[in-house]
Amino acid sequence: MSRDHNLKNMKAHLKYDVSLEWLDSFGDIEKLKYLNRSISRKRDCEGFTTEIYKRFIEKFYNDKKFNVLYGEWKFTKNKWIKPSLDHIQSKCKGGTLLLDNLQFVSWLENRAKVDIPQVEWNEIKRNINYYF
């Protein structure tokens, strides 16, 4: 399939009103699709408007941490390091869907962190040897 066909197909499935030119400005279509899938569940994008969606894509498409995880996962296909969308402060503890409260971590880290506040989680990671 051609790049143009992939972009048109992707646009047809988006619930956001973005132009083909905007989508085409991203070089890696597979990475763009991955970011789209990461917010495909209603609970992950509740309240997203087209503008918030665009800021989400622009932020994480260029995010260093996401790109390192995504690159490693793409290279190894190791399910434990697959990028997973995380709420820095969990929704059950008052966290929001604002972009400043979202980050990508590995699948394993996201499952281990659960609802632990980020500050406490960072401390656990610093002292991980203590727990083993």
Side-chain angles (χ1 to χ4, degrees), residues 11-12 15 20 26 28-30 39 48 53 59 71 80-83 87-89 92 95 128 131:
K11 182 174 176 8
K15 62 181 178 181
L20 277 175
F26 299 95
D28 187 338
I29 295 173
E30 292 306 311
I39 57 169
F48 267 36
Y53 167 78
K59 175 181 178 173
W80 306 110
I81 61 172
K82 184 177 182 178
H87 294 85
I88 295 167
Q89 180 171 342
C92 72
I128 197 74
Y131 302 98

Coordinates of all heavy atoms in Angstrom, one line a residue, residues 11-12 15 20 26 28-30 39 48 53 59 71 80-83 87-89 92 95 128 131:
K11 N -7.0 8.5 8.2 CA -7.9 9.7 8.4 C -9.4 9.3 8.5 O -10.1 9.8 9.3 CB -7.7 10.7 7.3 CG -8.5 12.0 7.5 CD -8.2 13.0 6.5 CE -9.1 14.3 6.5 NZ -10.0 14.5 7.6
A12 N -9.7 8.3 7.6 CA -11.1 7.9 7.6 C -11.6 7.2 8.9 O -12.8 7.3 9.3 CB -11.3 6.9 6.5
K15 N -11.6 10.0 14.7 CA -12.8 10.7 15.1 C -12.5 12.2 15.2 O -13.3 13.0 15.7 CB -13.4 10.2 16.4 CG -12.5 10.2 17.6 CD -13.2 9.6 18.8 CE -12.4 9.6 20.0 NZ -13.0 9.0 21.1
L20 N -5.2 15.8 5.8 CA -4.2 14.8 5.3 C -2.9 15.5 5.4 O -1.9 14.8 5.6 CB -4.6 14.4 3.9 CG -5.6 13.3 3.7 CD1 -5.9 13.1 2.3 CD2 -5.1 12.0 4.4
F26 N 4.0 13.9 9.5 CA 4.7 13.0 10.4 C 5.3 11.9 9.5 O 4.6 11.2 8.8 CB 3.7 12.4 11.4 CG 3.1 13.4 12.3 CD1 1.9 14.0 12.0 CD2 3.8 13.8 13.4 CE1 1.3 14.9 12.8 CE2 3.2 14.8 14.3 CZ 2.0 15.3 14.0
D28 N 6.8 8.9 10.2 CA 6.6 7.5 10.5 C 5.2 7.2 10.8 O 4.6 7.5 11.8 CB 7.5 7.2 11.8 CG 7.5 5.7 12.1 OD1 6.6 5.0 11.7 OD2 8.5 5.3 12.8
I29 N 4.5 6.6 9.8 CA 3.1 6.4 9.9 C 2.8 5.3 10.9 O 1.8 5.4 11.7 CB 2.5 5.9 8.5 CG1 2.6 7.0 7.5 CG2 1.1 5.4 8.6 CD1 2.2 6.7 6.1
E30 N 3.7 4.3 11.0 CA 3.5 3.3 12.0 C 3.5 3.8 13.5 O 2.7 3.4 14.3 CB 4.5 2.1 11.9 CG 4.3 1.3 10.6 CD 2.9 0.8 10.4 OE1 2.3 0.2 11.4 OE2 2.3 1.0 9.3
I39 N -4.7 5.9 22.5 CA -5.8 6.6 23.0 C -7.2 6.2 22.4 O -8.1 7.0 22.3 CB -5.6 8.1 22.9 CG1 -5.4 8.5 21.4 CG2 -4.5 8.6 23.8 CD1 -5.5 10.0 21.2
F48 N -11.2 14.6 24.9 CA -10.3 15.1 23.8 C -11.1 15.8 22.7 O -12.0 15.3 22.2 CB -9.5 13.9 23.2 CG -8.2 13.6 23.9 CD1 -8.0 13.7 25.2 CD2 -7.2 13.1 23.1 CE1 -6.8 13.4 25.8 CE2 -5.9 12.8 23.7 CZ -5.8 13.0 25.1
Y53 N -6.2 16.5 20.7 CA -5.7 15.3 20.0 C -4.4 15.7 19.3 O -3.4 15.0 19.3 CB -6.7 14.8 19.0 CG -6.1 13.8 18.0 CD1 -5.9 12.5 18.4 CD2 -5.9 14.2 16.7 CE1 -5.3 11.6 17.5 CE2 -5.3 13.3 15.8 CZ -5.1 12.0 16.2 OH -4.5 11.1 15.3
K59 N 3.1 16.2 20.8 CA 3.9 16.0 22.0 C 4.7 14.7 22.0 O 5.9 14.6 22.2 CB 3.1 16.2 23.3 CG 3.9 15.9 24.6 CD 3.0 16.0 25.8 CE 3.9 15.7 27.0 NZ 3.2 16.0 28.3
G71 N 11.2 2.7 20.0 CA 12.3 2.1 19.2 C 12.8 0.8 19.7 O 13.0 -0.2 18.9
W80 N 7.4 -6.7 27.4 CA 7.6 -6.0 28.7 C 8.0 -4.5 28.5 O 7.8 -3.7 29.4 CB 8.6 -6.7 29.5 CG 8.3 -8.2 29.7 CD1 9.0 -9.2 29.1 CD2 7.3 -8.8 30.4 NE1 8.4 -10.4 29.5 CE2 7.4 -10.2 30.3 CE3 6.3 -8.2 31.2 CZ2 6.5 -11.0 30.9 CZ3 5.4 -9.1 31.8 CH2 5.5 -10.5 31.7
I81 N 8.5 -4.2 27.3 CA 9.0 -2.8 27.1 C 8.1 -2.0 26.2 O 8.3 -0.9 25.8 CB 10.4 -2.7 26.7 CG1 10.7 -3.4 25.4 CG2 11.4 -3.2 27.8 CD1 12.0 -3.2 24.8
K82 N 7.0 -2.7 25.8 CA 6.0 -2.0 24.9 C 5.6 -0.7 25.5 O 5.2 -0.7 26.7 CB 4.9 -2.9 24.6 CG 3.9 -2.4 23.6 CD 2.8 -3.4 23.4 CE 1.8 -2.9 22.3 NZ 0.7 -3.8 22.0
P83 N 5.6 0.4 24.8 CA 5.2 1.7 25.4 C 3.7 1.7 25.8 O 2.8 1.2 25.1 CB 5.4 2.7 24.3 CG 6.3 2.1 23.4 CD 6.1 0.6 23.4
H87 N -0.9 7.6 33.5 CA -1.2 8.8 34.2 C -0.2 9.1 35.3 O -0.1 8.2 36.1 CB -2.6 8.7 34.8 CG -3.7 8.6 33.7 ND1 -4.1 7.4 33.2 CD2 -4.5 9.5 33.1 CE1 -5.0 7.6 32.3 NE2 -5.3 8.9 32.2
I88 N 0.5 10.2 35.2 CA 1.5 10.5 36.2 C 0.8 10.5 37.6 O 1.3 9.8 38.5 CB 2.1 11.8 35.9 CG1 2.9 11.7 34.6 CG2 3.0 12.3 37.1 CD1 3.4 13.0 34.0
Q89 N -0.3 11.1 37.8 CA -1.1 11.0 38.9 C -2.4 10.2 38.5 O -3.1 10.7 37.6 CB -1.5 12.3 39.5 CG -2.4 12.2 40.8 CD -2.6 13.5 41.5 OE1 -1.9 14.4 41.4 NE2 -3.6 13.5 42.4
C92 N -7.8 7.8 39.7 CA -8.5 7.5 41.0 C -8.0 8.3 42.1 O -8.7 8.4 43.2 CB -8.5 6.0 41.3 SG -6.9 5.4 41.9
G95 N -6.0 12.5 39.3 CA -5.3 12.8 38.1 C -6.3 13.1 36.9 O -7.4 12.6 37.0
I128 N 15.2 0.2 44.1 CA 14.6 -1.1 43.7 C 15.4 -2.3 44.2 O 14.8 -3.4 44.6 CB 14.6 -1.2 42.1 CG1 13.6 -2.3 41.7 CG2 15.9 -1.4 41.5 CD1 12.2 -2.0 41.9
Y131 N 14.1 -4.1 47.4 CA 13.0 -4.9 47.4 C 13.3 -6.3 46.9 O 12.4 -7.2 46.9 CB 11.9 -4.3 46.5 CG 11.5 -2.9 47.0 CD1 12.0 -1.8 46.4 CD2 10.6 -2.8 48.1 CE1 11.6 -0.5 46.9 CE2 10.2 -1.6 48.6 CZ 10.8 -0.4 48.0 OH 10.4 0.8 48.5

